[in-house]
Short mmCIF file of all heavy atoms in Angstrom, two decimals:
data_model
loop_
_atom_site.label_atom_id
_atom_site.label_comp_id
_atom_site.label_asym_id
_atom_site.label_seq_id
_atom_site.Cartn_x
_atom_site.Cartn_y
_atom_site.Cartn_z
N ASP A 1 -0.97 -6.97 -6.34
CA ASP A 1 -2.13 -7.34 -5.73
C ASP A 1 -2.01 -7.34 -4.22
O ASP A 1 -1.05 -7.68 -3.74
CB ASP A 1 -2.67 -8.67 -6.11
CG ASP A 1 -2.97 -8.76 -7.70
OD1 ASP A 1 -2.88 -7.71 -8.33
OD2 ASP A 1 -3.24 -9.71 -8.30
N ALA A 2 -3.12 -6.89 -3.43
CA ALA A 2 -3.17 -7.04 -2.00
C ALA A 2 -3.09 -8.46 -1.62
O ALA A 2 -3.63 -9.38 -2.21
CB ALA A 2 -4.38 -6.38 -1.51
N GLU A 3 -2.28 -8.66 -0.56
CA GLU A 3 -2.23 -10.12 0.05
C GLU A 3 -3.02 -10.20 1.39
O GLU A 3 -2.82 -9.39 2.23
CB GLU A 3 -0.71 -10.33 0.42
CG GLU A 3 0.20 -10.39 -0.85
CD GLU A 3 1.67 -10.63 -0.46
OE1 GLU A 3 1.77 -11.34 0.62
OE2 GLU A 3 2.49 -10.41 -1.29
N LEU A 4 -3.89 -11.20 1.35
CA LEU A 4 -4.71 -11.34 2.52
C LEU A 4 -4.23 -12.54 3.42
O LEU A 4 -3.96 -13.51 2.89
CB LEU A 4 -6.18 -11.62 2.05
CG LEU A 4 -7.20 -11.73 3.11
CD1 LEU A 4 -7.39 -10.44 3.92
CD2 LEU A 4 -8.51 -12.29 2.54
N ARG A 5 -4.21 -12.28 4.73
CA ARG A 5 -3.73 -13.31 5.64
C ARG A 5 -4.84 -13.20 6.85
O ARG A 5 -5.64 -12.24 6.98
CB ARG A 5 -2.51 -13.08 6.18
CG ARG A 5 -1.38 -13.31 5.21
CD ARG A 5 0.00 -13.26 5.78
NE ARG A 5 0.97 -13.36 4.78
CZ ARG A 5 1.82 -12.28 4.43
NH1 ARG A 5 1.65 -11.16 5.02
NH2 ARG A 5 2.65 -12.48 3.40
N TYR A 6 -4.86 -14.25 7.63
CA TYR A 6 -5.70 -14.28 8.86
C TYR A 6 -4.84 -14.49 10.06
O TYR A 6 -3.91 -15.30 10.08
CB TYR A 6 -6.82 -15.25 8.77
CG TYR A 6 -7.89 -14.96 7.73
CD1 TYR A 6 -7.76 -15.36 6.42
CD2 TYR A 6 -8.98 -14.26 8.06
CE1 TYR A 6 -8.67 -15.00 5.47
CE2 TYR A 6 -9.98 -13.93 7.20
CZ TYR A 6 -9.80 -14.23 5.82
OH TYR A 6 -10.79 -13.93 4.94
N THR A 7 -5.19 -13.74 11.15
CA THR A 7 -4.52 -13.92 12.50
C THR A 7 -5.06 -15.18 12.98
O THR A 7 -6.05 -15.80 12.63
CB THR A 7 -4.76 -12.72 13.37
OG1 THR A 7 -6.16 -12.70 13.74
CG2 THR A 7 -4.39 -11.42 12.75
N PRO A 8 -4.39 -15.65 14.22
CA PRO A 8 -4.89 -16.89 14.90
C PRO A 8 -6.20 -16.66 15.46
O PRO A 8 -7.04 -17.59 15.61
CB PRO A 8 -3.85 -17.12 15.96
CG PRO A 8 -2.64 -16.47 15.44
CD PRO A 8 -3.08 -15.35 14.61
N GLN A 9 -6.69 -15.46 15.67
CA GLN A 9 -8.05 -15.08 16.07
C GLN A 9 -8.97 -14.95 14.96
O GLN A 9 -10.11 -14.42 15.05
CB GLN A 9 -8.03 -13.80 16.95
CG GLN A 9 -7.24 -13.91 18.27
CD GLN A 9 -5.78 -13.83 18.11
OE1 GLN A 9 -5.19 -13.24 17.06
NE2 GLN A 9 -4.95 -14.43 18.92
N ASN A 10 -8.55 -15.31 13.68
CA ASN A 10 -9.39 -15.26 12.55
C ASN A 10 -9.72 -13.93 12.14
O ASN A 10 -10.75 -13.60 11.40
CB ASN A 10 -10.64 -16.09 12.66
CG ASN A 10 -11.13 -16.63 11.33
OD1 ASN A 10 -10.27 -16.88 10.43
ND2 ASN A 10 -12.45 -16.81 11.20
N GLN A 11 -8.81 -12.88 12.33
CA GLN A 11 -9.09 -11.52 11.88
C GLN A 11 -8.28 -11.35 10.55
O GLN A 11 -7.14 -11.61 10.40
CB GLN A 11 -8.57 -10.51 12.88
CG GLN A 11 -8.82 -9.06 12.34
CD GLN A 11 -8.43 -8.03 13.36
OE1 GLN A 11 -7.73 -8.32 14.39
NE2 GLN A 11 -8.81 -6.76 13.04
N ALA A 12 -9.09 -10.85 9.51
CA ALA A 12 -8.35 -10.61 8.15
C ALA A 12 -7.47 -9.44 8.30
O ALA A 12 -7.70 -8.42 8.92
CB ALA A 12 -9.50 -10.34 7.13
N VAL A 13 -6.26 -9.69 7.61
CA VAL A 13 -5.15 -8.61 7.58
C VAL A 13 -4.70 -8.60 6.16
O VAL A 13 -4.29 -9.62 5.63
CB VAL A 13 -4.04 -8.91 8.51
CG1 VAL A 13 -2.96 -7.78 8.40
CG2 VAL A 13 -4.53 -8.95 9.90
N ALA A 14 -4.83 -7.44 5.38
CA ALA A 14 -4.35 -7.30 4.07
C ALA A 14 -3.11 -6.35 4.03
O ALA A 14 -3.11 -5.38 4.79
CB ALA A 14 -5.30 -6.77 3.12
N THR A 15 -2.10 -6.74 3.33
CA THR A 15 -0.88 -5.88 3.17
C THR A 15 -0.87 -5.55 1.61
O THR A 15 -1.04 -6.31 0.76
CB THR A 15 0.32 -6.48 3.60
OG1 THR A 15 0.57 -7.73 2.96
CG2 THR A 15 0.25 -6.81 5.13
N PHE A 16 -0.42 -4.32 1.34
CA PHE A 16 -0.21 -3.86 -0.05
C PHE A 16 0.75 -2.60 -0.03
O PHE A 16 1.01 -2.11 1.06
CB PHE A 16 -1.50 -3.61 -0.79
CG PHE A 16 -2.35 -2.64 -0.07
CD1 PHE A 16 -2.33 -1.23 -0.41
CD2 PHE A 16 -3.19 -3.03 0.88
CE1 PHE A 16 -3.23 -0.33 0.32
CE2 PHE A 16 -4.14 -2.20 1.49
CZ PHE A 16 -4.08 -0.78 1.14
N THR A 17 1.22 -2.27 -1.20
CA THR A 17 2.11 -1.09 -1.29
C THR A 17 1.52 -0.19 -2.30
O THR A 17 1.17 -0.59 -3.51
CB THR A 17 3.58 -1.56 -1.72
OG1 THR A 17 4.07 -2.44 -0.71
CG2 THR A 17 4.58 -0.35 -1.67
N LEU A 18 1.56 1.11 -1.99
CA LEU A 18 1.17 2.07 -2.97
C LEU A 18 2.35 2.87 -3.52
O LEU A 18 3.25 3.35 -2.71
CB LEU A 18 0.21 3.15 -2.32
CG LEU A 18 -1.20 2.69 -2.10
CD1 LEU A 18 -1.99 3.91 -1.42
CD2 LEU A 18 -1.82 2.20 -3.33
N ALA A 19 2.41 3.14 -4.81
CA ALA A 19 3.37 3.99 -5.34
C ALA A 19 2.67 5.48 -5.50
O ALA A 19 1.82 5.56 -6.24
CB ALA A 19 3.85 3.61 -6.78
N VAL A 20 3.11 6.43 -4.69
CA VAL A 20 2.52 7.64 -4.73
C VAL A 20 3.52 8.71 -5.35
O VAL A 20 4.66 8.87 -4.82
CB VAL A 20 2.25 8.07 -3.17
CG1 VAL A 20 1.61 9.51 -3.20
CG2 VAL A 20 1.39 7.10 -2.49
N ASN A 21 3.05 9.26 -6.42
CA ASN A 21 3.98 10.27 -7.08
C ASN A 21 4.13 11.61 -6.25
O ASN A 21 3.27 11.97 -5.58
CB ASN A 21 3.35 10.62 -8.54
CG ASN A 21 3.43 9.57 -9.54
OD1 ASN A 21 4.29 8.73 -9.47
ND2 ASN A 21 2.60 9.59 -10.52
N ARG A 22 5.37 12.09 -6.36
CA ARG A 22 5.69 13.30 -5.75
C ARG A 22 5.10 14.50 -6.68
O ARG A 22 5.08 14.34 -7.79
CB ARG A 22 7.17 13.52 -5.58
CG ARG A 22 7.68 12.53 -4.55
CD ARG A 22 9.22 12.66 -4.34
NE ARG A 22 9.58 11.76 -3.28
CZ ARG A 22 10.90 11.66 -2.89
NH1 ARG A 22 11.84 12.36 -3.53
NH2 ARG A 22 11.28 10.66 -2.15
N PRO A 23 4.72 15.63 -6.09
CA PRO A 23 4.15 16.59 -6.84
C PRO A 23 5.00 17.57 -7.67
O PRO A 23 4.73 18.48 -8.27
CB PRO A 23 3.32 17.48 -5.79
CG PRO A 23 4.19 17.22 -4.60
CD PRO A 23 4.66 15.90 -4.64
N PHE A 24 6.28 17.17 -7.74
CA PHE A 24 7.34 17.92 -8.37
C PHE A 24 8.24 16.87 -9.22
O PHE A 24 8.19 15.77 -9.01
CB PHE A 24 8.15 18.75 -7.42
CG PHE A 24 8.78 18.03 -6.41
CD1 PHE A 24 9.81 17.32 -6.49
CD2 PHE A 24 8.04 17.92 -5.10
CE1 PHE A 24 10.47 16.54 -5.41
CE2 PHE A 24 8.57 17.29 -4.06
CZ PHE A 24 9.81 16.59 -4.20
N LYS A 25 8.95 17.55 -10.22
CA LYS A 25 9.97 16.73 -10.99
C LYS A 25 11.31 16.90 -10.46
O LYS A 25 11.63 17.98 -9.91
CB LYS A 25 9.87 17.04 -12.45
CG LYS A 25 8.45 16.85 -13.04
CD LYS A 25 8.42 17.19 -14.51
CE LYS A 25 7.00 16.97 -15.05
NZ LYS A 25 6.93 17.28 -16.43
N ASN A 26 12.16 15.85 -10.67
CA ASN A 26 13.61 16.07 -10.22
C ASN A 26 14.46 16.84 -11.24
O ASN A 26 13.89 17.40 -12.22
CB ASN A 26 14.21 14.63 -10.00
CG ASN A 26 14.34 13.85 -11.24
OD1 ASN A 26 14.16 14.26 -12.37
ND2 ASN A 26 14.52 12.55 -11.15
N GLN A 27 15.69 16.98 -10.98
CA GLN A 27 16.49 17.79 -11.88
C GLN A 27 16.56 17.33 -13.36
O GLN A 27 16.81 18.15 -14.31
CB GLN A 27 17.91 17.89 -11.37
CG GLN A 27 18.02 18.55 -10.11
CD GLN A 27 19.47 18.54 -9.50
OE1 GLN A 27 20.27 17.78 -9.93
NE2 GLN A 27 19.76 19.42 -8.58
N ASN A 28 16.25 15.96 -13.60
CA ASN A 28 16.26 15.49 -14.94
C ASN A 28 14.77 15.59 -15.58
O ASN A 28 14.57 15.15 -16.67
CB ASN A 28 16.58 13.99 -14.86
CG ASN A 28 17.98 13.76 -14.43
OD1 ASN A 28 18.86 14.62 -14.60
ND2 ASN A 28 18.21 12.64 -13.75
N GLY A 29 13.86 16.28 -14.91
CA GLY A 29 12.52 16.46 -15.43
C GLY A 29 11.56 15.12 -15.33
O GLY A 29 10.58 15.15 -15.85
N GLU A 30 12.12 14.20 -14.43
CA GLU A 30 11.28 12.97 -14.27
C GLU A 30 10.50 13.01 -12.94
O GLU A 30 11.05 13.66 -11.91
CB GLU A 30 12.22 11.81 -14.15
CG GLU A 30 13.04 11.67 -15.55
CD GLU A 30 14.11 10.61 -15.37
OE1 GLU A 30 14.52 10.32 -14.24
OE2 GLU A 30 14.57 10.11 -16.48
N ARG A 31 9.41 12.45 -12.81
CA ARG A 31 8.61 12.31 -11.56
C ARG A 31 9.20 11.18 -10.78
O ARG A 31 9.57 10.07 -11.30
CB ARG A 31 7.17 12.01 -11.89
CG ARG A 31 6.46 13.24 -12.45
CD ARG A 31 5.08 13.36 -11.82
NE ARG A 31 4.42 14.47 -12.39
CZ ARG A 31 4.32 15.65 -11.86
NH1 ARG A 31 4.90 15.86 -10.68
NH2 ARG A 31 3.66 16.57 -12.36
N GLU A 32 9.29 11.36 -9.54
CA GLU A 32 9.69 10.27 -8.60
C GLU A 32 8.53 9.83 -7.72
O GLU A 32 7.51 10.63 -7.65
CB GLU A 32 10.79 10.79 -7.65
CG GLU A 32 12.11 11.16 -8.50
CD GLU A 32 13.25 11.53 -7.47
OE1 GLU A 32 12.99 11.76 -6.25
OE2 GLU A 32 14.36 11.74 -7.97
N ALA A 33 8.60 8.74 -7.18
CA ALA A 33 7.42 8.21 -6.32
C ALA A 33 7.98 7.68 -5.05
O ALA A 33 9.20 7.31 -4.93
CB ALA A 33 6.76 7.08 -7.16
N ASP A 34 7.08 7.77 -4.00
CA ASP A 34 7.36 7.18 -2.83
C ASP A 34 6.51 5.88 -2.67
O ASP A 34 5.43 5.75 -3.17
CB ASP A 34 6.96 8.12 -1.59
CG ASP A 34 7.75 9.38 -1.55
OD1 ASP A 34 8.99 9.24 -1.43
OD2 ASP A 34 7.24 10.48 -1.63
N PHE A 35 7.15 4.79 -2.12
CA PHE A 35 6.43 3.53 -1.96
C PHE A 35 6.02 3.34 -0.60
O PHE A 35 6.78 3.16 0.41
CB PHE A 35 7.32 2.50 -2.49
CG PHE A 35 7.62 2.57 -4.01
CD1 PHE A 35 8.68 3.33 -4.44
CD2 PHE A 35 6.80 1.97 -4.89
CE1 PHE A 35 8.95 3.43 -5.81
CE2 PHE A 35 7.07 2.00 -6.27
CZ PHE A 35 8.10 2.83 -6.66
N ILE A 36 4.79 3.36 -0.31
CA ILE A 36 4.11 3.40 1.01
C ILE A 36 3.46 1.93 1.30
O ILE A 36 2.64 1.57 0.61
CB ILE A 36 2.99 4.50 1.17
CG1 ILE A 36 3.50 5.79 0.64
CG2 ILE A 36 2.49 4.58 2.59
CD1 ILE A 36 4.69 6.43 1.30
N ASN A 37 4.02 1.32 2.40
CA ASN A 37 3.52 0.10 2.81
C ASN A 37 2.17 0.36 3.59
O ASN A 37 2.25 1.20 4.43
CB ASN A 37 4.51 -0.72 3.67
CG ASN A 37 5.64 -1.13 2.86
OD1 ASN A 37 5.65 -1.42 1.71
ND2 ASN A 37 6.86 -1.06 3.49
N CYS A 38 1.20 -0.49 3.31
CA CYS A 38 -0.14 -0.17 3.85
C CYS A 38 -0.61 -1.51 4.51
O CYS A 38 -0.37 -2.57 3.88
CB CYS A 38 -1.17 0.34 2.89
SG CYS A 38 -0.75 1.89 2.16
N VAL A 39 -1.42 -1.43 5.52
CA VAL A 39 -2.08 -2.57 6.16
C VAL A 39 -3.56 -2.26 6.42
O VAL A 39 -3.86 -1.21 6.91
CB VAL A 39 -1.43 -2.93 7.60
CG1 VAL A 39 -2.06 -4.14 8.18
CG2 VAL A 39 0.14 -3.20 7.39
N ALA A 40 -4.43 -3.17 6.14
CA ALA A 40 -5.88 -3.03 6.33
C ALA A 40 -6.42 -4.22 7.07
O ALA A 40 -5.73 -5.34 7.02
CB ALA A 40 -6.57 -3.06 4.98
N PHE A 41 -7.36 -3.98 7.94
CA PHE A 41 -7.86 -5.05 8.92
C PHE A 41 -9.38 -5.23 8.58
O PHE A 41 -10.11 -4.32 8.09
CB PHE A 41 -7.63 -4.61 10.41
CG PHE A 41 -6.24 -4.43 10.71
CD1 PHE A 41 -5.64 -3.18 10.62
CD2 PHE A 41 -5.53 -5.52 11.09
CE1 PHE A 41 -4.31 -2.98 10.98
CE2 PHE A 41 -4.18 -5.25 11.52
CZ PHE A 41 -3.56 -4.07 11.32
N GLY A 42 -9.87 -6.38 8.99
CA GLY A 42 -11.23 -6.84 9.01
C GLY A 42 -11.91 -6.81 7.60
O GLY A 42 -11.31 -7.37 6.63
N ARG A 43 -13.09 -6.23 7.50
CA ARG A 43 -13.80 -6.16 6.21
C ARG A 43 -13.11 -5.24 5.25
O ARG A 43 -13.13 -5.63 3.97
CB ARG A 43 -15.22 -5.73 6.37
CG ARG A 43 -16.04 -6.72 7.26
CD ARG A 43 -17.45 -6.32 7.38
NE ARG A 43 -18.10 -6.26 6.14
CZ ARG A 43 -19.28 -5.67 5.78
NH1 ARG A 43 -19.95 -5.16 6.82
NH2 ARG A 43 -19.85 -5.76 4.63
N THR A 44 -12.35 -4.30 5.61
CA THR A 44 -11.63 -3.57 4.75
C THR A 44 -10.43 -4.36 3.99
O THR A 44 -10.20 -4.18 2.93
CB THR A 44 -11.00 -2.25 5.46
OG1 THR A 44 -11.93 -1.58 6.14
CG2 THR A 44 -10.29 -1.35 4.52
N ALA A 45 -9.90 -5.19 4.85
CA ALA A 45 -8.75 -6.10 4.31
C ALA A 45 -9.38 -6.99 3.24
O ALA A 45 -8.78 -7.26 2.27
CB ALA A 45 -8.22 -6.84 5.53
N GLU A 46 -10.57 -7.60 3.50
CA GLU A 46 -11.19 -8.43 2.52
C GLU A 46 -11.64 -7.76 1.30
O GLU A 46 -11.47 -8.25 0.13
CB GLU A 46 -12.46 -9.10 3.23
CG GLU A 46 -11.97 -10.15 4.32
CD GLU A 46 -13.11 -10.65 5.19
OE1 GLU A 46 -14.28 -9.99 5.12
OE2 GLU A 46 -12.90 -11.59 5.88
N PHE A 47 -12.06 -6.46 1.40
CA PHE A 47 -12.41 -5.68 0.36
C PHE A 47 -11.11 -5.42 -0.56
O PHE A 47 -11.11 -5.53 -1.77
CB PHE A 47 -13.01 -4.30 0.77
CG PHE A 47 -13.37 -3.45 -0.38
CD1 PHE A 47 -14.65 -3.45 -0.96
CD2 PHE A 47 -12.40 -2.45 -0.88
CE1 PHE A 47 -14.91 -2.60 -1.99
CE2 PHE A 47 -12.67 -1.63 -1.86
CZ PHE A 47 -13.97 -1.67 -2.47
N ALA A 48 -9.99 -5.07 0.05
CA ALA A 48 -8.74 -4.79 -0.60
C ALA A 48 -8.23 -6.02 -1.30
O ALA A 48 -7.81 -5.88 -2.53
CB ALA A 48 -7.66 -4.28 0.44
#
């Protein structure tokens, strides 16, 4: 779940991580994923 925090200036900041699958399979025939750290601000953070 996305985590919401507020700055001392009361601005919303949400952090979350997405697992994004790579478009190809490895040598074992398995899909690998990249884990991307994301940050959202303001109303977008509250939505997240």
Side-chain angles (χ1 to χ4, degrees):
D1 295 356
E3 295 181 23
L4 183 65
R5 296 189 182 108
Y6 288 89
T7 66
Q9 295 78 25
N10 206 32
Q11 182 179 9
V13 180
T15 57
F16 55 94
T17 303
L18 285 182
V20 179
N21 284 336
R22 293 182 179 175
F24 51 86
K25 296 180 181 180
N26 64 15
Q27 292 177 343
N28 299 329
E30 300 168 341
R31 289 218 183 264
E32 294 181 356
D34 293 304
F35 294 88
I36 312 297
N37 295 322
C38 301
V39 180
F41 298 94
R43 293 184 66 193
T44 305
E46 292 169 346
F47 179 90

